[in-house]
């Protein structure tokens, strides 16, 4: 029995009433919440990345912390550090913002590599090691990071090892003219992005929902389809001879796990207890986009990752 499914679906619907024109983004945010995965949100300023994350945090009774990444940030500013207490003549550990449950890493690519690397252990192992002592992070812990794809001055591109830690890489687009008009009208009425009216779910409900998502049925044929799809990124010439050599590095087995988890979360949001091919298609590109590296030829011919992935999705037969 999916006892918590109606609560999560109601939460998702209420987010739609708060954030206009970013339906796919809201789906991905809730999928991340349901699977415990981290999200990288990429889009131009003004597309409601930060607003959507704050709306999600406002709908969950969880500890939320926004971190503005800047070039002068230090690793200890995230993890916390040992502070000397002269009264007790000893050091005591002061927790950093990463010990909250929902983390908004705003403009994550503005911090240097040593700060970005402070997130690696936290995102993968859900723990932080400072001064030789390892401390666990909250069970709900998830990182929602944003970055601007155009502005490169003063930024530090995320290394592949860190990109691989993100369950989904979500690219945001402009809203339609109708949605933008609704945004304008809401703002003029003074109720833009109102999170106070959202139905609240507590941490235990989210954790229970995660257990239910793990029980979503994924047929063996669909498991093989996911593995075949990920494998196609490593041998694109087999499926698309005319695109041979366009992908320099394909996705790792972690991509197969990401697609399976995200597809189960997508099925859960649709009110089902089983995965269908449409669930896989809905999340596959977001799971693979940041895990493949186009070749030099692809970049010279301006062949995008999205077009390569869509071509593979069309080429690999659906069971």
């Amino acid at each position: 029995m999916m006892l918590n499914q109606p609560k999560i679906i109601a939460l998702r619907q209420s987010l739609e009433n708060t954030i206009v024109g970013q339906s796919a983004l809201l789906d991905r945010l809730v999928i991340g919440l349901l699977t415990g995965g981290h999200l990288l949100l990429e889009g131009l300023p003004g597309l409601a990345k930060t607003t959507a994350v704050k709306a999600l945090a406002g709908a969950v009774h969880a500890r939320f912390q926004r971190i503005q990444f800047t070039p002068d940030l230090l690793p200890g500013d995230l993890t916390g550090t040992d502070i000397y207490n002269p009264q007790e003549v000893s050091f005591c550990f002061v927790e950093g913002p990463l010990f909250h449950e929902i983390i908004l890493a705003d403009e994550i690519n503005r911090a240097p590599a040593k700060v970005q690397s402070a997130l690696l252990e936290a995102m993968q192992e859900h723990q932080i090691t400072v001064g030789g002592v390892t401390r666990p992070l909250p069970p709900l812990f998830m990182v929602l990071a944003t970055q601007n794809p155009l502005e490169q001055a003063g930024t530090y591109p995320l290394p592949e090892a860190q990109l691989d830690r993100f369950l989904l890489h979500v690219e945001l687009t402009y809203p339609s003219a109708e949605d933008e008009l609704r945004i304008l009208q809401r703002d003029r009425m003074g109720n833009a992005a109102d999170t106070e009216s959202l139905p609240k779910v507590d941490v235990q409900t989210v954790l229970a929902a995660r257990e239910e998502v793990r029980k979503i049925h994924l047929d063996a044929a669909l498991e093989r389809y996911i593995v075949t799809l990920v494998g196609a990124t490593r041998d694109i010439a087999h499926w698309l001879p005319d695109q041979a050599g366009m992908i320099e590095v394909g996705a790792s087995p972690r991509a197969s796990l990401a697609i399976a988890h995200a597809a189960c979360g997508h099925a859960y949001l649709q009110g089902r207890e089983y995965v269908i091919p449409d669930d896989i298609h809905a999340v596959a590109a977001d799971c693979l986009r940041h895990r493949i590296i186009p070749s030099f030829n692809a970049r010279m011919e301006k062949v995008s990752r999205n077009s390569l992935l869509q071509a593979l999705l069309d080429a690999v037969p659906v069971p």
Side-chain angles (χ1 to χ4, degrees):
M1 289 292 292
M2 302 293 174
L3 299 178
N4 297 282
Q5 195 174 43
K7 299 177 183 178
I8 301 299
I9 292 175
L11 170 64
R12 168 62 185 85
Q13 292 172 344
S14 67
L15 289 173
E16 189 80 48
N17 297 330
T18 304
I19 305 296
V20 178
Q22 295 293 356
S23 179
L25 168 62
L26 299 180
D27 283 341
R28 274 54 178 177
L29 288 176
V30 180
I31 287 173
L33 188 69
L34 288 171
T35 58
H38 312 293
L39 273 64
L40 178 61
L41 313 179
E42 186 170 310
L44 298 174
L47 295 182
K49 301 185 296 296
T50 302
T51 304
V53 173
K54 287 184 176 179
L56 177 69
V60 179
H61 283 297
R63 293 181 297 156
F64 169 71
Q65 180 66 53
R66 176 183 180 273
I67 308 171
Q68 180 65 54
F69 278 60
T70 57
D72 61 346
L73 208 62
L74 297 174
D77 295 331
L78 302 183
T79 62
T81 187
D82 290 316
I83 302 296
Y84 181 70
N85 187 337
Q87 283 77 24
E88 299 182 5
V89 196
S90 63
F91 286 90
C92 63
F93 179 72
V94 178
E95 294 183 350
L98 287 185
F99 283 88
H100 290 72
E101 290 165 316
I102 299 179
I103 305 296
L104 169 57
D106 224 351
E107 297 185 282
I108 188 173
N109 57 337
R110 290 197 174 277
K114 63 181 180 180
V115 176
Q116 295 175 7
S117 65
L119 286 170
L120 291 177
E121 181 184 15
M123 293 173 66
Q124 186 60 31
E125 282 82 29
H126 282 213
Q127 64 185 29
I128 288 176
T129 302
V130 177
V133 178
T134 299
R135 297 173 175 86
L137 293 172
L140 186 66
F141 177 77
M142 63 184 296
V143 174
L144 305 170
T146 71
Q147 66 177 12
N148 182 341
L150 294 184
E151 192 175 12
Q152 300 302 322
T155 63
Y156 304 82
L158 298 180
E160 299 301 324
Q162 183 166 355
L163 284 173
D164 203 35
R165 259 63 170 187
F166 288 100
L167 176 77
L168 301 172
H169 176 196
V170 184
E171 289 186 343
L172 278 69
T173 58
Y174 291 114
S176 66
E178 293 77 11
D179 287 335
E180 193 164 352
L181 178 60
R182 290 174 59 198
I183 294 171
L184 175 61
Q185 292 171 341
R186 285 192 178 193
D187 181 74
R188 288 181 58 81
M189 293 172 61
N191 60 352
D194 178 20
T195 60
E196 294 301 322
S197 60
L198 289 176
K200 304 287 185 179
V201 297
D202 56 25
V203 171
Q204 294 306 316
T205 298
V206 174
L207 296 179
R210 286 183 181 180
E211 290 299 321
E212 294 175 352
V213 169
R214 293 188 182 97
K215 298 176 183 177
I216 293 287
H217 177 68
L218 180 60
D219 190 78
L222 292 181
E223 291 178 339
R224 286 191 293 271
Y225 174 59
I226 292 173
V227 172
T228 302
L229 189 59
V230 173
T233 66
R234 307 168 199 157
D235 186 18
I236 190 173
H238 175 76
W239 300 96
L240 300 169
D242 59 325
Q243 302 282 354
M246 288 297 182
I247 297 180
E248 182 177 341
V249 179
S252 70
R254 189 177 284 167
S256 300
L257 298 175
I259 294 176
H261 294 162
C264 289
H266 190 271
Y268 188 87
L269 271 184
Q270 306 307 310
R272 285 185 269 101
E273 299 182 14
Y274 55 89
V275 173
I276 63 176
D278 286 349
D279 297 317
I280 297 173
H281 286 176
V283 301
D286 289 341
C287 290
L288 293 171
R289 183 178 296 115
H290 55 304
R291 291 186 166 96
I292 66 171
I293 301 177
S295 66
F296 177 79
N297 289 338
R299 295 194 295 272
M300 289 300 98
E301 296 180 21
K302 296 184 178 180
V303 179
S304 68
R305 301 185 188 206
N306 290 339
S307 62
L308 289 171
L309 292 174
Q310 187 57 54
L312 285 176
L313 285 170
D314 295 337
V316 178
V318 179

